[in-house]
Amino acid sequence: MTMKFHYLSGSPFSWKIWLALEHGGFAYEPVRLQVDAGDLRSPEFLALNPKGKLPVLVDGALVLSESDAIAEYLADLRAPSGAALWPADIIQRAHGRRFAAAATNYVYPQVRRIMEQTLFLKAGAADLEAIGMARAQLSIDLRLLAEATQEAFATGSTPTIADFTLYPFIALLGRIDAQKPGHFAATVVPERLTTWAKRIEDLPWFERTIPPHWRVP
């Protein structure tokens, strides 16, 4: 039975799972939900996740929410013809999990603060001080992650969940600059991570994961 992947376009946590599904070679059906349409408050969706949050993966009788849990499930499941989502070596796996945790716990909150003053801002002027403070902290945390990358990717020569966790946050900084120029959000990304992100974007299946509303008509 084909998995159903319920996602929100542009959500970094949904994108992480989409990258993992493609890299892992899983057969799945993407199901796009939209906040403005009230999809996350519908009885049908709340039956899948009472928290009303995405992503949600449905695999037969299993209904799984929380992106970290979904990613680990996919890593344990592994499609017969797909690539591994974590390294076989226990030390490298530990390194990758720490990398992913740092991306979620330190990078995402700062990206979110910038988004709140740019992409999410409905009215009024952006809080430039808040943006500046977030950029300053991001510069530190991204430099540390750049220094922690090994070979081409976070844990070696092939991408893993660690890379798929961080990449959407980096992409969102570029999105902010494209949609709300003048805040120089992406300038905090070290050159090493810019090159790393390009490697992910060059993966043969990457284009299938681009958020639909980001695509140029």
Side-chain angles (χ1 to χ4, degrees):
M1 183 179 296
T2 300
M3 298 176 181
K4 286 193 174 182
F5 164 53
H6 298 77
Y7 74 98
L8 185 67
S9 180
S11 157
F13 301 102
S14 291
W15 203 352
K16 170 175 73 175
I17 300 306
W18 208 338
L19 292 165
L21 284 165
E22 284 291 337
H23 182 67
F26 294 96
Y28 68 94
E29 175 189 346
V31 181
R32 180 185 178 185
L33 302 183
Q34 300 185 64
V35 174
D36 293 345
D39 294 341
L40 305 191
R41 299 188 301 274
S42 71
E44 295 80 9
F45 180 68
L46 291 175
L48 297 178
N49 184 3
K51 290 291 188 181
K53 294 184 177 182
L54 290 165
V56 170
L57 186 75
V58 178
D59 186 16
L62 174 68
V63 178
L64 194 58
S65 60
E66 303 298 334
S67 66
D68 287 345
I70 296 171
E72 292 296 338
Y73 172 70
L74 294 175
D76 288 341
L77 187 62
R78 188 170 179 179
S81 60
L85 291 173
W86 281 127
D89 180 76
I90 189 171
I91 300 299
Q92 290 300 87
R93 282 203 308 278
H95 171 80
R97 287 180 172 130
R98 187 210 63 82
F99 187 102
T104 300
N105 295 331
Y106 307 133
V107 174
Y108 174 64
Q110 305 306 329
V111 173
R112 175 80 186 192
R113 289 186 178 96
I114 298 175
M115 290 171 64
E116 288 170 348
Q117 296 300 322
T118 53
L119 300 182
F120 296 167
L121 192 65
K122 299 299 183 184
D127 185 337
L128 299 182
E129 182 178 358
I131 291 174
M133 291 175 63
R135 289 178 68 254
Q137 187 59 52
L138 266 177
S139 180
I140 295 170
D141 291 327
L142 289 176
R143 175 180 54 80
L144 291 172
L145 286 175
E147 292 171 354
T149 55
Q150 301 180 5
E151 299 181 46
F153 297 101
T155 62
S157 61
T158 59
T160 66
I161 291 169
D163 302 280
F164 303 149
T165 301
L166 177 61
Y167 174 81
F169 303 142
I170 301 299
L172 278 169
L173 293 174
R175 177 73 172 176
I176 291 167
D177 283 346
Q179 296 293 307
K180 299 286 185 177
H183 298 295
F184 308 104
T187 61
V188 300
V189 181
E191 183 178 356
R192 186 171 182 178
L193 285 184
T194 300
T195 303
W196 160 88
K198 183 65 168 57
R199 292 191 189 102
I200 293 177
E201 292 162 0
D202 286 341
L203 293 168
W205 44 258
F206 172 81
E207 188 173 348
R208 292 195 290 273
T209 75
I210 296 174
H213 78 284
W214 288 23
R215 296 180 184 274
V216 177

